Amino acid sequence: MVYNIVVVNIPVKVKLPFLWGRAVFHKSEWSQINLVVGPNGSGKTLLVESISRQFAEHGYSTKFLKADRGTDKQSLSILQENEHIRQKVQSILSSMFGKTIVFKQMEGEYVPVVENRAWSVEYDLQEVECHGLKEIITLLVALYANTGNTCLVFDEPELHLHPQFQQFFAEELRRVSQRHPSRIYFVITHSPFFVDLRFPEELLGVIVCHTNREPTHIDSLSRRDEDLFRRFLPRFNTYHKQFFFSDNQIFVEGYTDQQMFASLLPYIHTDLGVAGTGIIDVGGKDELGVFCKVCALLGTNSRIITDLDSLFGGKLRDVFCSDERATLWLEKQKEKQFPFYQNIFTAKELDHEITLEKLILRLERFLSVIGKELCQIPDDSPLPPDIELFVSKLKALDQKHAMAENIDTFKTVVLQGVMAEGGIRIQLEQVLKEKTAQSLPLVRALFSLVLAGAAAASVYILPRGCIEHYYTQSLVEYMPVSAKDKLFHAEREHILTAKEKTVRKEYSELIGILESAAAR
């Protein structure tokens, strides 16, 4: 089936002062299928009730299927009067449930009856069957029975429906909408199975409701964003879609990060308002960048915890460096940080705006100089014990990669060494040239500034490297890390079996990062 995106222009304005204060919701461009998502109590139903009334003023016949609908008499009446719809619903239900379901007239009205010919038994579906069969009847009849310019609203169509039936109805809605382009549909939902996005343009049909602020939506997509989401949507699974239903989701790179932070979530102080927080793994730092971009466009306050190497390349860096929150934060820091900027930038460079991107680029330049200098230390030169492993890691990367100083892992390892505590700090100053050694305090201060700038954009970077560097059951030094799966299972088992006091003490740094990310 060729899928066409239908867009209707109807200016809508909604005010709900008791929910949003003085803010006003505006939207003019409407997709044929519009998804209204968000947490409980955010005003989704009230919003769509107002929208549907304004659609009625523009000539649309509106029908609103409330969440407490059940199998209503109007649906059964339509089944009685319209044989085509009756036959279609009978066929679909019989196929879905593996039972012969027919509608028979009993006491003056049509009722659904399940026939079991093998046992010579039949029974009234309304009397003895599950709510799910009754629910799907109402949904299907409403979907098939509308004609002309109709605005049809489904409020929580997922109620009483098994996930596979939710998925079926979402697909059926898509098919019917293609056959009837003059009809507009609204789906108010808490189910990720109804967030069935296949084309970037369908993001324009998503309205996100929030607690204590007006709903948000995407007005338009740039060509670059369209290309990005076109590659991303095929990997966008049901689990990922949780972020549509809460402003309090935290994204991480992989499943080990997700399991570790999820295990530590109960140790966050409850007074931080973290109820409803979830940890979602997305499969890599580039995917984190895409989620961050989607959330920014939709107005959802995404939070991200990511590895140190995210500073040195990838989509995520591009997104948080261009985030206006980071820009505003740096603007407020300008006067305070100016003496520091004079130590790391030339007078000519200071004539232009200092951005987070420029700070990271300057950090990379420092790290490149330090790393190359350490790699030039002769192999037969004796090194202090604390620094020997660090230098050997850098040399191994330098031998493996041409222009190793441009590799994310190389820069990350240099930064790990520079930021290390203990004897390595003194030893680094001893082995580096005097001018390079004098730059180490500047690098540490610059790194702290960069971390704070990223945090202003709700991106929290693990300063030690990656999650494995916070393990207590294994000693993991520098990157890359091998045997991650084995290390993870030992660590998770420890967290699940250790006493609360032990977990709070051993993982205090991770818990602190998690608290910062989760707090509203």
Side-chain angles (χ1 to χ4, degrees):
M1 178 188 295
V2 177
Y3 189 73
N4 299 311
I5 306 295
V6 176
V7 178
V8 175
N9 186 283
I10 297 178
V12 164
K13 181 170 68 173
V14 180
K15 297 180 181 179
L16 293 174
F18 61 96
L19 287 176
W20 315 328
R22 295 182 179 180
V24 180
F25 171 81
H26 291 276
K27 185 171 168 62
S28 297
E29 300 292 330
W30 302 93
S31 299
Q32 194 179 9
I33 299 177
N34 301 276
L35 301 174
V36 183
V37 297
N40 288 329
S42 56
K44 297 185 294 297
T45 299
L46 292 173
L47 171 69
V48 181
E49 283 177 344
S50 180
I51 292 171
S52 64
R53 287 194 294 269
Q54 294 178 61
F55 266 71
E57 293 170 2
H58 284 78
Y60 278 81
S61 171
T62 61
K63 181 176 176 60
F64 202 115
L65 269 75
K66 299 279 188 177
D68 56 354
R69 54 194 162 264
T71 307
D72 60 11
K73 290 186 177 180
Q74 184 181 4
S75 297
L76 296 176
S77 176
I78 292 171
L79 287 168
Q80 182 175 356
E81 297 168 1
N82 193 315
E83 183 179 0
H84 174 70
I85 292 177
R86 185 170 68 249
Q87 294 288 345
K88 190 168 185 177
V89 173
Q90 285 179 174
S91 175
I92 288 174
L93 293 180
S94 297
S95 175
M96 287 175 70
F97 295 100
K99 302 175 181 180
T100 301
I101 298 174
V102 297
F103 291 92
K104 292 188 175 182
Q105 193 167 23
M106 294 182 179
E107 298 180 359
E109 65 178 25
Y110 266 63
V111 297
V113 172
V114 177
E115 294 182 339
N116 190 320
R117 294 174 182 173
W119 297 344
S120 299
V121 172
E122 66 177 36
Y123 54 89
D124 181 352
L125 181 61
Q126 294 185 102
E127 296 293 332
V128 298
E129 263 292 359
C130 65
H131 291 292
L133 279 84
K134 300 175 185 178
E135 182 76 17
I136 197 70
I137 290 172
T138 301
L139 294 174
L140 290 173
V141 171
L143 183 62
Y144 298 146
N146 286 277
T147 58
N149 289 346
T150 302
C151 174
L152 180 57
V153 180
F154 295 99
D155 194 353
E156 298 189 48
E158 66 269 17
L159 291 179
H160 307 304
L161 292 188
H162 186 282
Q164 73 186 54
F165 298 152
Q166 295 177 36
Q167 202 161 5
F168 162 78
F169 186 71
E171 181 59 42
E172 193 68 4
L173 174 59
R174 182 182 287 272
R175 280 196 291 265
V176 171
S177 70
Q178 281 292 283
R179 292 197 296 269
H180 303 283
S182 64
R183 302 177 192 173
I184 301 295
Y185 302 91
F186 286 86
V187 179
I188 305 170
T189 183
H190 293 280
S191 171
F193 292 99
F194 281 97
V195 184
D196 181 29
L197 304 173
R198 303 180 185 181
F199 303 92
E201 297 85 354
E202 291 179 332
L203 282 165
L204 303 180
V206 178
I207 302 170
V208 183
C209 293
H210 312 277
T211 303
N212 300 323
R213 62 187 176 103
E214 74 275 17
T216 53
H217 59 90
I218 301 174
D219 283 319
S220 62
L221 292 173
S222 68
R223 179 61 62 86
R224 183 178 181 182
D225 289 339
E226 282 187 18
D227 292 341
L228 178 66
F229 297 146
R230 189 167 285 109
R231 294 193 301 271
F232 161 72
L233 286 174
R235 306 196 300 274
F236 187 46
N237 63 39
T238 303
Y239 174 67
H240 294 151
K241 296 172 186 176
Q242 294 178 69
F243 82 89
F244 281 104
F245 308 100
S246 169
D247 277 348
N248 220 30
Q249 301 296 334
I250 297 172
F251 298 106
V252 295
E253 289 189 33
Y255 83 95
T256 56
D257 305 77
Q258 191 276 334
Q259 286 291 306
M260 286 291 293
F261 283 114
S263 297
L264 294 173
L265 203 54
Y267 297 93
I268 290 182
H269 294 292
T270 55
D271 60 353
L272 293 176
V274 297
T277 298
I279 313 293
I280 303 174
D281 64 278
V282 301
K285 65 180 180 181
D286 279 347
E287 282 72 14
L288 281 175
V290 177
F291 273 87
C292 193
K293 183 69 173 180
V294 173
C295 289
L297 289 171
L298 284 172
T300 299
N301 184 23
S302 66
R303 299 94 184 275
I304 286 173
I305 301 177
T306 184
D307 294 350
L308 181 56
D309 61 357
S310 294
L311 273 182
F312 304 122
K315 294 184 180 70
L316 178 59
R317 167 172 157 170
D318 295 339
V319 172
F320 72 72
C321 280
S322 60
D323 192 294
E324 64 177 7
R325 292 172 295 178
T327 302
L328 289 172
W329 184 84
L330 281 175
E331 182 64 29
K332 292 178 181 178
Q333 297 291 314
K334 187 174 182 180
E335 185 176 346
K336 176 183 176 181
Q337 298 295 337
F338 190 75
F340 174 66
Y341 290 164
Q342 289 179 308
N343 288 323
I344 62 174
F345 292 111
T346 65
K348 187 176 181 180
E349 289 172 326
L350 290 173
D351 288 337
H352 303 279
E353 181 185 8
I354 302 301
T355 64
L356 188 54
E357 178 76 17
K358 287 183 179 179
L359 291 173
I360 295 173
L361 289 172
R362 186 50 41 97
L363 177 64
E364 289 179 305
R365 184 185 296 183
F366 278 123
L367 297 176
S368 177
V369 171
I370 295 168
K372 285 194 289 187
E373 194 169 304
L374 291 171
C375 288
Q376 291 169 358
I377 296 174
D379 292 338
D380 57 358
S381 295
L383 290 172
D386 290 336
I387 205 174
E388 188 173 4
L389 176 62
F390 170 50
V391 174
S392 67
K393 281 278 187 179
L394 287 177
K395 286 186 174 182
L397 290 168
D398 187 52
Q399 292 172 3
K400 183 177 180 181
H401 302 281
M403 303 290 290
E405 64 271 17
N406 296 327
I407 304 298
D408 294 352
T409 305
F410 184 87
K411 288 179 276 193
T412 302
V413 172
V414 177
L415 187 52
Q416 286 178 305
V418 171
M419 297 303 298
E421 300 290 344
I424 191 172
R425 287 200 171 196
I426 298 173
Q427 294 169 10
L428 260 179
E429 294 177 0
Q430 294 172 348
V431 300
L432 289 170
K433 295 176 183 176
E434 183 179 357
K435 182 179 179 180
T436 308
Q438 290 174 349
S439 72
L440 294 177
L442 296 176
V443 174
R444 295 181 185 117
L446 178 55
F447 179 52
S448 296
L449 186 63
V450 167
L451 288 183
S458 295
V459 175
Y460 300 87
I461 295 167
L462 297 175
R464 288 203 211 169
C466 58
I467 196 74
E468 289 80 13
H469 293 99
Y470 296 84
Y471 285 179
T472 64
Q473 303 306 293
S474 312
L475 178 62
V476 179
E477 297 182 286
Y478 309 111
M479 294 176 74
V481 179
S482 57
K484 287 187 175 184
D485 196 59
K486 182 179 179 181
L487 297 175
F488 159 71
H489 285 290
E491 203 68 25
R492 181 174 179 271
E493 183 69 20
H494 175 64
I495 293 176
L496 295 177
T497 56
K499 293 181 179 180
E500 179 179 344
K501 185 177 180 180
T502 301
V503 174
R504 289 191 180 279
K505 180 180 179 181
E506 293 183 345
Y507 301 94
S508 59
E509 192 173 352
L510 276 185
I511 292 171
I513 293 170
L514 187 56
E515 286 180 340
S516 297
R520 288 194 174 100

